[in-house]
């Protein structure tokens, strides 16, 4: 599974990458904001190595996580990529906006590796009920 992490905080990017590595994921790209994430999504897609899962912070400069989600869902090549928002935000109106844009799930910071694993497992089970987790 090719995963893209988008977060403006280097420590959070490193932590998420480490946690994903511990869960067995090795093919991980990182971006420091939504703009960089979009570049990776397009570059990797056209190089024949499409991203298969996006983990994005909500609050980032240039292009926020919700703007990234909106763009991903509005782009035919990426519209069905599983997308998890990682955020300190848990206000109902923000969650409702993300759900309306078809976010697959969200993780509230701070989170544990176990919680991240549960969220990823749930997303994969909803998307691929016969295949299980990647």
């Amino acid at each position: 599974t090719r995963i893209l992490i988008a977060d403006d905080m280097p420590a959070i990017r490193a932590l998420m990458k480490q946690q994903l590595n511990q869960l067995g994921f090795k093919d991980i790209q990182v971006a420091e904001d939504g703009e960089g994430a979009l570049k990776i999504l397009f570059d990797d897609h056209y190089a024949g190595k499409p991203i298969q899962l996006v983990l994005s912070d909500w609050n980032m400069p240039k292009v926020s996580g919700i703007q990234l989600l909106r763009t991903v869902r509005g782009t035919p090549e990426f519209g069905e990529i599983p997308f998890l928002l990682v955020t300190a935000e848990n206000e109902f109106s923000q969650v409702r906006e993300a759900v309306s844009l078809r976010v697959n799930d969200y993780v509230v910071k701070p989170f544990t590796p176990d919680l991240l694993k549960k969220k990823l497992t749930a997303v994969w089970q909803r998307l691929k009920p016969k295949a299980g987790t990647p």
Side-chain angles (χ1 to χ4, degrees):
T1 301
R2 299 196 80 244
I3 298 176
L4 172 59
I5 297 170
D7 197 297
D8 58 321
M9 297 185 70
I12 299 295
R13 287 194 307 270
L15 177 65
M16 283 197 287
K17 186 172 183 177
Q18 176 188 18
Q19 289 180 352
L20 289 167
N21 286 159
Q22 290 173 355
L23 294 172
F25 297 99
K26 302 297 179 205
D27 196 347
I28 302 168
Q29 302 287 328
V30 295
E32 62 186 38
D33 56 43
E35 185 177 271
L38 286 171
K39 181 176 180 352
I40 290 170
L41 281 164
F42 278 99
D43 288 352
D44 285 12
H45 175 78
Y46 291 114
K49 305 177 296 180
I51 295 295
Q52 298 166 301
L53 173 71
V54 176
L55 290 165
S56 175
D57 185 25
W58 187 298
N59 294 311
M60 296 183 290
K62 298 182 185 174
V63 175
S64 70
I66 199 73
Q67 291 169 315
L68 177 60
L69 174 60
R70 186 175 287 116
T71 301
V72 165
R73 290 296 181 243
T75 304
E77 297 90 341
F78 312 131
E80 299 303 317
I81 294 174
F83 198 111
L84 279 79
L85 275 171
V86 182
T87 181
E89 309 295 334
N90 61 0
E91 290 189 27
F92 182 71
S93 63
Q94 291 173 318
V95 172
R96 186 175 54 217
E97 180 182 9
V99 168
S100 75
L101 292 169
R102 298 183 301 128
V103 72
N104 294 91
D105 212 331
Y106 68 98
V107 181
V108 177
K109 294 177 189 177
F111 56 88
T112 64
D114 284 342
L115 178 61
L116 183 59
K117 181 179 180 179
K118 286 178 187 176
K119 295 285 187 170
L120 290 172
T121 300
V123 166
W124 286 117
Q125 287 177 343
R126 282 193 303 266
L127 294 173
K128 301 174 185 178
K130 303 252 187 242
T133 58

